[in-house]
């Protein structure tokens, strides 16, 4: 490993280029020394650093938790990211969705899920899920909520997951099933079909779709929806009035 360049180190001992750069940095002060001098240099007190603070662990820890008892220490950052993503999806998610939320590759997500499953922190079940207009069979992963899982989560910093990309002017795919009559939901645009979307989602039976529509549809669409038959009285009228008033006050 003459010259101790990172690429040569990586090729010689089969490690990543990132790891090789760290090794090269440690070896650099004794680049011309013997092997024994290099080992002695690496073992010197000034290189015996304390481990860096784990960016995934709560800091500072509350008095009820002890750092040396943390179950996160042997987990990879990827596994912690997947665990954090699952916490954001209490009803579960597919491996593909966790890949988006955790910001790691699909293959790494599968490896991380396998490790977490070995610990008894996550579990998988085959179920039917809505995907646009389709009902698909898929493996959905979720937290086990076991004592071990809860203990790990108590140490895990709650970090924002990567937002799932949606077309800003379109109804999210998870609500497409509500549009069973008329134009296909994937062709609807909020800027052009706001009233139709509001009437369908706010007047429908899907509470989560109603909440999304009230929070995200343009105010003119909500006002126009308020004048339609079935929306002019009772609780739907009250919901629309409350949201329209809230926006007016916040403006």
């Amino acid at each position: 490993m003459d010259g101790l360049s990172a690429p040569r180190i990586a090729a010689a001992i089969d490690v990543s280029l990132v790891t090789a750069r760290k090794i090269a940095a440690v070896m650099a002060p004794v680049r011309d020394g013997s092997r024994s001098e290099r080992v002695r240099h690496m073992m010197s007190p000034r290189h015996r650093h304390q481990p860096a603070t784990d960016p995934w662990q709560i800091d500072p820890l509350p008095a009820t938790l002890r750092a040396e008892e943390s179950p996160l220490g042997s987990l990879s950052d990827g596994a912690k990211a997947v665990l954090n993503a699952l916490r954001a999806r209490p009803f579960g998610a597919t491996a593909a969705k966790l890949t988006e939320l955790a910001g790691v590759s699909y293959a790494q997500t599968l490896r991380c899920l396998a490790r977490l499953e070995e610990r008894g922190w996550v579990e998988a079940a085959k179920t039917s899920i809505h995907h646009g207009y389709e009902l698909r069979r898929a493996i959905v992963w979720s937290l086990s909520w076991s004592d071990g899982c809860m203990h790990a989560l108590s140490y895990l910093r709650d970090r924002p997951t990567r937002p799932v990309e949606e077309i800003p002017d379109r109804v999210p795919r998870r609500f497409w099933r509500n549009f069973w009559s008329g134009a296909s939901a994937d062709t609807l645009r909020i800027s052009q079909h706001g009233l139709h979307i509001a009437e369908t989602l706010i007047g429908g039976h899907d509470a989560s779709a109603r909440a999304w529509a009230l929070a995200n549809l343009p105010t003119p669409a909500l006002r126009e929806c308020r004048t339609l038959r079935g929306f002019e009285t009772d609780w739907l009228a009250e919901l629309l009035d409350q949201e329209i008033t809230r926006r007016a006050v916040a403006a």
Side-chain angles (χ1 to χ4, degrees):
M1 291 190 292
D2 295 337
L4 292 177
S5 67
R8 296 191 64 172
I9 293 175
I13 60 177
D14 192 25
V15 296
S16 70
L17 193 57
V18 173
T19 300
R21 289 195 187 103
K22 293 178 181 178
I23 294 173
V26 171
M27 299 290 282
V30 288
R31 182 167 295 175
D32 299 324
S34 65
R35 291 180 180 178
S36 61
E37 288 174 336
R38 292 175 179 176
V39 171
R40 189 179 305 111
H41 173 76
M42 286 188 288
M43 295 301 293
S44 64
R46 70 190 186 93
H47 282 288
R48 296 174 188 165
H49 299 302
Q50 292 295 323
T53 301
D54 184 353
W56 278 103
Q57 184 168 290
I58 294 173
D59 184 33
L61 285 172
T64 54
L65 300 178
R66 299 175 63 86
E68 61 272 19
E69 296 175 359
S70 171
L72 303 179
S74 58
L75 282 182
S76 67
D77 285 345
K80 294 168 192 173
V82 170
L83 191 63
N84 179 66
L86 274 171
R87 177 168 53 188
R89 289 296 181 103
F91 297 106
T94 62
K97 184 63 64 178
L98 292 172
T99 295
E100 294 181 48
L101 297 174
V104 298
S105 70
Y106 183 74
Q108 186 178 1
T109 297
L110 293 179
R111 291 194 298 269
C112 293
L113 286 169
R115 295 190 188 100
L116 295 172
E117 187 178 31
E118 288 174 0
R119 296 188 176 210
W121 297 353
V122 306
E123 53 194 17
K126 195 162 189 178
T127 186
S128 297
I129 60 173
H130 285 283
H131 185 79
Y133 284 106
E134 300 177 15
L135 193 63
R136 296 182 179 178
R137 295 291 290 175
I139 296 175
V140 173
W141 292 86
S142 59
L143 296 173
S144 67
W145 302 112
S146 63
D147 290 344
C149 173
M150 297 295 287
H151 183 59
L153 292 177
S154 67
Y155 281 87
L156 186 67
R157 188 190 300 269
D158 192 0
R159 295 173 64 174
T161 55
R162 286 191 176 186
V164 178
E165 292 185 3
E166 295 279 3
I167 297 177
D169 198 31
R170 191 170 71 176
V171 176
R173 187 183 295 269
R174 63 187 182 276
F175 300 135
W176 287 7
R177 65 183 184 276
N178 295 283
F179 296 86
W180 54 269
S181 177
S184 178
D186 62 334
T187 65
L188 297 176
R189 295 296 179 266
I190 295 171
S191 58
Q192 302 174 41
H193 311 102
L195 177 59
H196 175 56
I197 295 170
E199 183 181 8
T200 302
L201 298 186
I202 297 175
H205 299 291
D206 187 335
S208 61
R210 183 182 302 114
W212 177 87
L214 287 167
N216 293 277
L217 292 180
T219 302
L222 299 184
R223 287 202 185 100
E224 194 172 358
C225 182
R226 174 68 172 77
T227 66
L228 297 178
R229 185 175 181 178
F231 295 87
E232 75 275 24
T233 59
D234 214 356
W235 63 280
L236 287 178
E238 185 177 349
L239 283 177
L240 285 162
D241 285 342
Q242 288 176 350
E243 178 58 23
I244 292 169
T245 301
R246 185 195 67 78
R247 295 186 186 189
V249 172

